[in-house]
């Protein structure tokens, strides 16, 4: 290894490029691999290895409160069950202090299914009393500090609960979302109906040995259909209550079905990031091999001498692999440091809690990767060196004229990777910018929604909040929203006479005339003056329901329609920019009176600094809530523009990651090209000098030297373009609202890759071409 250290010392540029390129890449790969490991390991701490299944229809998790008692006794394959509900959060107080809390209502045997650490009670006898409560470690510490909370009293919804135990917090690898407290399932009495409120109650079951989850789901589906006349088969796309499914708990986090009780990940994002990590690693390996090949001629004499002294070709190969392993191991250690330093940034962008603590599996995987990379990076140069003639090398008659065949291949592959990442990065940026700035079809500027339904649905109590908000000089107008703005409105089925199930649906935002004016909807066609309960639709809804002034009814029967339309609005968008509209669903605005019962929000038009106004509004609402309910609630008050932006947060994070990886790829590729140009121009300096002496111009020498790199880049671009097109189409197809395919990006990408190549290559080539040819001949 001494000769290798001497070689690295004499070739500092080679050493720096290798260390930097491979270290940065390995640091990114370590972070992405750790993220994937964290995501794939999310599950639940079960008492046994026996699978646990959550019940639900075919597209979401959760059933009704009475589902287990009504159906499970007649399904012998269900061995036992427990249940959770996460639908009811609120405020708890200890003494004079109030806390906003989220909670699980669970069956008494919940802790016999799951092996979470309990203190102060046994898992066999817990939450058997309606007034018992278990706190999470973090909430207990927040409320009681170092004092033992067991035996203390917590008041929740005007009822006193006795703390009987403390449970460890759910962590980053737990499928359950974080909660502050657990209460018994009887907490749901009076809040949900036994056989209604679908999704509010999640049964969790063990099956008997050998039972098929699919068969049990089919059996339950038949029972649901027999009990609920509106329940349909899974393949009935028009129905909203259909099918039956058993979701294995370990698969829920990265699955398609969702529930408020469980955390959810993005399986597609994890897979994409793993692919990107692999691409970056391959690019760094190409860079390593390429630069090592370029340096092979400088070590030819050393290796020839070793061969003449009796060292076999196999030992020479092992020497290269050993040296490669040393370099890769050093880069891995530097990569670990880079990963540690970059961990906060990755956690922030991915909204994750990535763990870098190694386990036996990750250590084994790291060693395997090191060995594979070392063998690949050492084997290729060793095979090339074995082709040298030893006597020619030692006599000095050897001239290593690197034809750059392998180098061109590796440079081309790096250019392909960089071209693809560059094209996809620009596409993600343009598409994300389009979504951010895409018109909604209504006004959102300076509009704030205040969830007064959290305080009270009573219109008189809502008016208390309204009147106090009107005293603020920054407030211009206030309207009423029945069920939220068009961004977060409800979804109502439309039932036609003679049909058993809903055949269509309306995305329905309910609002009074003031809110309608604040949103600034444009009326396209007016059938009549709006009356309470009547709806405005867009052109697509008019066409589907065949609406006109003479036939304004929607659904139901001609004598008694479900809804009556008062006119047609110009197109507007419901939900965020990434919402995928369901088939046969149409946007609608329903007119309500300002004092309409069960209205959930106030829509507030303001002017001035948003942060200052938000603080004032929150303070007023908190004080009003304390006077009305006794609890100083901290309401989730938001400006609509912020809601729209938050809906795109995942897409923004994905864009940042792709652009970051593109920059890393370009940096690695650029450094490799720069290093190659240094060594290539060094090999060609005698040829350059002779051509200069014979009268060639500097520009001609530059063109001749740069031609191989330009040709390689051009070929790489030609290969990369169809791959880029496929990936760009795949990315854009995931959006309901998308830009037209940006063909111009391919041209811009090609130009950028050529420009980057020339910048990296020309500096050294021009330097060699402008050097004194006589000095170059003397050096030779």
């Amino acid at each position: 290894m001494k000769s290798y250290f001497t070689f690295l010392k004499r070739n500092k540029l080679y050493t720096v490029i290798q260390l930097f390129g491979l270290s940065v890449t390995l640091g990114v790969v370590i972070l992405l691999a750790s993220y994937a490991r964290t995501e794939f390991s999310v599950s639940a701490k079960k008492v046994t290895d026996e699978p646990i299944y959550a019940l639900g229809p075919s597209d979401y998790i959760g059933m009704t409160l009475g589902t287990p008692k009504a159906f499970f006794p007649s399904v012998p394959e269900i061995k036992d069950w427990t249940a959770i509900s996460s639908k009811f959060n609120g405020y708890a107080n200890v003494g004079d202090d109030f806390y906003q809390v989220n909670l699980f209502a669970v069956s008494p045997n919940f802790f016999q299914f799951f092996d979470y650490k309990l203190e102060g009670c046994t898992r066999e006898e817990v939450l058997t009393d309606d007034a018992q409560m278990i706190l999470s470690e973090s909430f207990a510490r927040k409320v009681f500090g170092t004092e033992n909370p067991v035996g203390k009293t917590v008041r929740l919804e005007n009822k006193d609960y006795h703390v009987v135990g403390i449970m460890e917090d759910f962590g980053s690898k737990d499928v359950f979302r974080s909660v502050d407290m657990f209460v018994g399932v009887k907490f749901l009495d009076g809040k949900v109906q036994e056989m209604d409120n679908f999704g509010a109650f999640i049964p969790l079951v063990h099956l008997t040995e050998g039972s098929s989850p699919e068969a049990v789901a089919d059996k339950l589906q038949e029972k649901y259909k027999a009990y609920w006349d509106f329940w349909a088969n899974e393949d009935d796309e028009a129905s909203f209550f259909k099918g039956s499914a058993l979701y294995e708990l370990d698969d829920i986090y990265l699955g398609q079905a969702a529930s408020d009780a469980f955390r959810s990940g993005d399986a597609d994002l994890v897979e994409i990031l793993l692919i990107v990590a692999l691409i970056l690693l391959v690019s760094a390996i190409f860079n390593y091999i390429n630069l090592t090949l370029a340096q092979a001629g400088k070590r030819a004499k050393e290796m020839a001498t070793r061969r003449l002294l009796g060292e076999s070709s196999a030992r020479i190969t092992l020497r290269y692999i050993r040296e490669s392993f040393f370099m890769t191991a050093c880069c891995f250690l530097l990569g670990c440091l880079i990963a540690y330093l970059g961990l906060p940034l990755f956690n922030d962008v991915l909204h994750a809690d990535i763990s870098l603590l190694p386990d036996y599996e990750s250590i084994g995987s790291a060693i395997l990767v090191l060995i594979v990379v070392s063998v690949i990076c050492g084997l290729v140069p060793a095979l090339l060196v074995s082709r040298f003639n030893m006597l020619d090398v030692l006599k000095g008659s050897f001239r290593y004229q690197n034809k750059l065949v392998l180098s061109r291949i590796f440079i081309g592959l790096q250019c392909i990777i960089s071209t693809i990442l560059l094209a996809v990065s620009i596409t993600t940026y343009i598409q994300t910018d389009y979504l951010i700035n895409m018109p909604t079809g209504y006004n959102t500027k300076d509009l704030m929604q205040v969830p007064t339904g959290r305080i009270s649905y009573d219109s008189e109590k809502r008016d208390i909040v309204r009147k106090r908000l009107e005293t603020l000089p920054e407030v211009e107008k206030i309207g009423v929203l029945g069920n939220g703005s068009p961004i977060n409105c409800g979804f109502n089925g439309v039932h036609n006479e003679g049909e058993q199930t809903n055949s269509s649906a309306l995305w329905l935002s309910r609002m009074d005339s003031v809110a309608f004016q604040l949103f600034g909807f444009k009326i396209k066609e007016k059938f009549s003056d709006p009356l309470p309960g009547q709806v405005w639709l867009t052109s697509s809804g008019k066409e589907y329901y065949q609406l006109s002034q003479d036939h304004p009814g929607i659904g139901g029967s001609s004598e008694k329609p479900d809804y009556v339309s008062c006119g047609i609005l110009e197109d507007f968008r419901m939900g965020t920019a990434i919402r995928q509209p369901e088939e046969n669903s149409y946007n609608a605005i329903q007119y309500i009176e300002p004092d309409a019962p069960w209205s959930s929000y106030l829509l507030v038009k303001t002017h001035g600094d948003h942060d200052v106004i938000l603080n004032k509004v929150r303070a007023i609402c908190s004080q009003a809530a304390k006077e009305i309910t006794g609890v100083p609630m901290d309401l989730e008050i938001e400006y609509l523009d912020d809601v729209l932006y938050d809906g795109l947060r995942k897409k923004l994070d994905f864009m940042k990651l792709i652009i970051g990886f593109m920059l890393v790829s370009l940096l690695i590729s650029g450094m490799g090209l720069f290093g190659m140009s240094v060594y290539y121009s060094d090999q060609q300096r005698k040829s350059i000098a002779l051509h200069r002496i014979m009268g060639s111009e500097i520009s001609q020498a530059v063109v001749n030297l740069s031609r191989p790199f330009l040709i390689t880049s051009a070929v790489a671009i030609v290969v990369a373009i169809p791959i880029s097109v496929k990936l760009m189409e795949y990315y854009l197809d995931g959006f309901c609202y998308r830009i037209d395919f940006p063909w111009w990006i391919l041209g811009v990408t090609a130009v950028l890759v050529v420009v980057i190549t020339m910048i990296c290559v020309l500096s050294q080539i021009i330097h060699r071409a402008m050097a004194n040819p006589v000095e170059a001949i003397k050096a030779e």
Side-chain angles (χ1 to χ4, degrees):
M1 293 292 290
K2 184 177 179 180
S3 62
Y4 181 60
F5 295 147
T6 302
F7 166 76
L8 293 178
K9 186 177 180 180
R10 290 177 178 174
N11 296 272
K12 294 182 177 62
L13 180 62
Y14 166 85
T15 305
V16 170
I17 292 177
Q18 295 288 46
L19 283 172
F20 182 84
L22 195 55
S23 298
V24 171
T25 302
L26 287 175
V28 173
V29 170
I30 289 169
L31 283 169
L32 295 182
S34 299
Y35 170 68
R37 181 190 65 174
T38 302
E39 295 294 280
F40 284 123
S41 62
V42 171
S43 58
K45 294 182 181 179
K46 297 177 290 187
V47 171
T48 67
D49 293 333
E50 191 175 354
I52 296 176
Y53 299 93
L55 268 64
S58 59
D59 52 0
Y60 63 89
I61 299 173
M63 289 298 296
T64 66
L65 179 63
T67 294
K69 294 179 181 178
F71 305 118
F72 289 2
S74 60
V75 183
E77 293 88 347
I78 296 178
K79 184 170 62 175
D80 54 8
W81 64 276
T82 188
I84 60 174
S85 176
S86 62
K87 291 293 183 182
F88 299 94
N89 302 322
Y91 284 82
N93 64 288
V94 178
D96 295 329
D97 297 324
F98 288 87
Y99 302 91
Q100 187 171 358
V101 297
N102 49 69
L103 58 88
F104 274 175
V106 301
S107 300
N109 64 342
F110 177 84
F111 297 100
Q112 297 175 41
F113 269 59
F114 299 100
D115 195 24
Y116 293 103
K117 181 181 177 182
L118 283 174
E119 293 181 3
C121 59
T122 63
R123 63 183 67 251
E124 288 75 20
E125 295 182 8
V126 64
L127 301 184
T128 54
D129 189 318
D130 295 352
Q132 290 182 344
M133 172 184 288
I134 291 177
L135 303 182
S136 68
E137 282 182 340
S138 57
F139 187 72
R141 192 163 49 247
K142 175 182 176 181
V143 176
F144 297 100
T146 58
E147 188 179 359
N148 184 6
V150 175
K152 302 291 184 180
T153 299
V154 175
R155 191 166 184 80
L156 177 67
E157 293 197 353
N158 298 318
K159 179 178 178 180
D160 288 335
Y161 287 82
H162 305 292
V163 179
V164 296
I166 307 298
M167 197 199 85
E168 64 174 303
D169 291 335
F170 292 127
S172 62
K173 293 187 177 182
D174 287 305
V175 68
F176 296 109
R177 70 171 176 82
S178 177
V179 294
D180 298 313
M181 56 185 60
F182 299 82
V183 294
V185 75
K186 284 190 174 295
F187 175 82
L188 302 177
D189 290 350
K191 295 182 174 63
V192 297
Q193 299 180 35
E194 282 281 325
M195 302 306 288
D196 203 345
N197 298 108
F198 291 90
F201 194 69
I202 304 173
L204 303 168
V205 303
H206 283 141
L207 300 183
T208 57
E209 187 175 355
S211 297
S212 166
E214 292 77 14
V216 173
D218 291 341
K219 186 177 290 188
L220 287 171
Q221 176 179 275
E222 295 306 313
K223 294 183 180 296
Y224 298 160
K225 289 168 62 179
Y227 187 89
W228 292 293
D229 57 6
F230 52 79
W231 204 273
N233 291 326
E234 183 176 353
D235 56 359
D236 188 344
E237 296 184 1
S239 178
F240 302 108
F241 298 98
K242 59 184 179 181
S244 175
L246 271 65
Y247 303 93
E248 188 169 354
L249 207 59
D250 291 344
D251 298 333
I252 286 176
Y253 179 72
L254 293 178
Q256 298 298 318
S259 167
D260 291 339
F262 303 112
R263 297 169 56 227
S264 61
D266 190 334
D268 291 337
L269 177 62
V270 175
E271 292 175 1
I272 289 171
L273 294 184
L274 282 177
I275 292 172
V276 170
L278 180 61
I279 289 173
L280 290 177
L281 182 60
V282 169
S283 180
I285 291 173
F286 288 162
N287 193 64
Y288 185 105
I289 296 173
N290 210 13
L291 291 174
T292 304
L293 288 176
Q295 291 286 346
K298 293 189 175 184
R299 302 191 69 190
K301 190 170 183 178
E302 175 196 343
M303 296 307 169
T305 303
R306 292 184 183 278
R307 289 287 305 279
L308 288 176
L309 291 176
E311 193 165 331
S312 64
S313 297
R315 289 184 62 83
I316 295 292
T317 301
L318 287 175
R319 179 178 296 276
Y320 267 100
I321 293 175
R322 187 167 62 250
E323 293 171 354
S324 175
F325 183 82
F326 171 79
M327 175 63 77
T328 306
C330 290
C331 291
F332 178 77
L333 293 176
L334 287 173
C336 290
L337 177 61
I338 292 171
Y340 176 77
L341 295 175
L343 182 61
L345 176 62
F346 267 68
N347 277 335
D348 182 59
V349 172
L350 291 169
H351 304 288
D353 184 15
I354 302 174
S355 173
L356 292 179
L357 293 176
D359 51 25
Y360 291 117
E361 184 178 350
S362 59
I363 292 174
S365 300
I367 293 173
L368 180 61
V369 170
L370 282 176
I371 293 173
V372 171
V373 172
S374 301
V375 170
I376 294 174
C377 293
L379 189 59
V380 176
L383 293 175
L384 180 65
V385 169
S386 67
R387 297 166 53 194
F388 296 166
N389 187 296
M390 293 180 295
L391 294 178
D392 288 344
V393 173
L394 293 175
K395 286 189 301 183
S397 58
F398 169 77
R399 277 288 183 269
Y400 174 51
Q401 299 296 334
N402 187 353
K403 300 301 182 183
L404 295 180
V405 176
L406 283 175
S407 295
R408 288 182 186 179
I409 293 174
F410 292 136
I411 290 173
L413 289 172
Q414 284 181 308
C415 286
I416 290 172
I417 293 171
S418 298
T419 302
I420 293 171
L421 284 177
L422 188 56
V424 174
S425 297
I426 297 175
T427 303
T428 59
Y429 177 82
I430 299 297
Q431 171 65 22
T432 305
D433 183 69
Y434 170 77
L435 294 176
I436 291 173
N437 298 296
M438 185 176 63
T440 58
Y442 55 89
N443 177 50
T444 59
K445 182 177 175 56
D446 295 328
L447 290 181
M448 170 199 299
Q449 59 181 11
V450 180
T452 53
R454 292 285 308 278
I455 299 175
S456 175
Y457 288 107
D458 183 87
S459 60
E460 293 183 1
K461 294 178 180 178
R462 183 174 67 243
D463 281 343
I464 295 175
V465 180
R466 180 212 288 263
K467 290 176 182 178
R468 293 189 183 182
L469 291 178
E470 288 174 341
T471 63
L472 292 175
E474 297 90 348
V475 171
E476 297 180 10
K477 283 186 178 181
I478 300 178
V480 175
L481 298 175
N483 60 338
S485 71
I487 303 173
N488 58 343
C489 64
F491 188 67
N492 289 24
V494 176
H495 182 268
N496 293 327
E497 188 178 30
E499 296 179 350
Q500 291 187 345
T501 60
N502 297 322
S503 58
S504 63
L506 298 179
W507 285 96
L508 196 66
S509 179
R510 301 167 57 237
M511 61 186 69
D512 69 355
S513 59
V514 175
F516 188 88
Q517 293 172 4
L518 290 175
F519 281 123
F521 293 106
K522 301 294 191 298
I523 298 175
K524 191 173 183 179
E525 186 176 354
K526 189 173 182 180
F527 299 155
S528 63
D529 291 330
L531 297 174
Q534 291 187 340
V535 297
W536 298 92
L537 272 75
T538 58
S539 298
S540 58
K542 174 187 177 182
E543 181 180 351
Y544 179 80
Y545 295 113
Q546 299 181 351
L547 300 177
S548 68
Q549 190 166 3
D550 296 330
H551 301 283
I554 301 170
S557 63
S558 56
E559 293 80 16
K560 191 177 181 181
D562 288 348
Y563 301 95
V564 174
S565 174
C566 55
I568 306 301
L569 303 176
E570 291 187 6
D571 285 340
F572 64 92
R573 172 165 53 88
M574 288 288 198
T576 64
I578 60 173
R579 180 183 69 83
Q580 295 288 351
E582 283 76 5
E583 186 178 1
N584 285 344
S585 63
Y586 304 93
N587 300 342
I589 303 296
Q590 187 174 43
Y591 175 69
I592 61 173
E593 293 285 5
D595 60 351
W598 298 103
S599 294
S600 304
Y601 293 86
L602 291 177
L603 182 70
V604 184
K605 171 70 174 178
T606 69
H607 63 268
D609 184 270
H610 284 193
D611 291 335
V612 173
I613 298 171
L614 279 172
N615 289 333
K616 291 182 177 181
V617 172
R618 285 169 180 155
I620 287 176
C621 292
S622 179
Q623 180 62 34
K626 185 174 182 180
E627 294 175 9
I628 295 171
T629 68
V631 178
M633 298 181 183
D634 183 16
L635 302 182
E636 295 180 4
I637 303 168
E638 299 175 285
Y639 276 96
L640 298 187
D641 285 336
D642 294 334
V643 177
L644 288 170
Y645 186 83
D646 288 342
L648 295 172
R649 191 168 298 280
K650 283 190 176 181
K651 299 302 178 184
L652 288 168
D653 293 340
F654 180 76
M655 178 194 71
K656 294 175 185 176
L657 287 172
I658 292 298
I659 291 176
F661 297 144
M662 177 268 294
L663 293 174
V664 171
S665 176
L666 288 178
L667 180 62
I668 294 171
S669 179
M671 291 181 67
L673 284 169
F674 177 77
M676 281 301 301
S677 67
V678 171
Y679 302 124
Y680 179 60
S681 59
D682 186 55
Q683 291 170 10
Q684 299 297 322
R685 63 181 177 176
K686 182 177 180 180
S687 175
I688 297 170
L690 290 175
H691 281 82
R692 288 283 311 282
I693 292 171
M694 297 300 293
S696 295
E697 298 291 336
I698 292 176
S699 59
Q700 186 178 353
V702 171
V703 170
N704 290 335
L705 285 174
S706 59
R707 183 182 294 117
F709 295 99
L710 282 174
I711 293 174
T712 301
S713 297
V715 172
I717 291 169
V718 171
V719 174
I721 282 178
I723 301 174
S724 300
V725 170
K726 290 290 185 183
L727 291 176
M728 291 162 68
E729 279 287 2
Y730 176 78
Y731 172 74
L732 292 174
D733 284 344
F735 295 93
C736 174
Y737 307 101
R738 50 163 287 182
I739 58 175
D740 295 330
F741 189 86
W743 293 101
W744 60 270
I745 288 179
L746 301 174
V748 171
T749 300
V751 171
L752 286 175
V753 170
V754 171
V755 170
I756 292 170
T757 300
M758 296 311 299
I759 290 174
C760 296
V761 169
L762 285 180
S763 59
Q764 284 301 311
I765 289 180
I766 293 174
H767 173 71
R768 287 298 182 190
M770 295 182 66
N772 188 333
V774 176
E775 296 297 328
I777 296 294
K778 286 181 180 180
E780 287 289 320

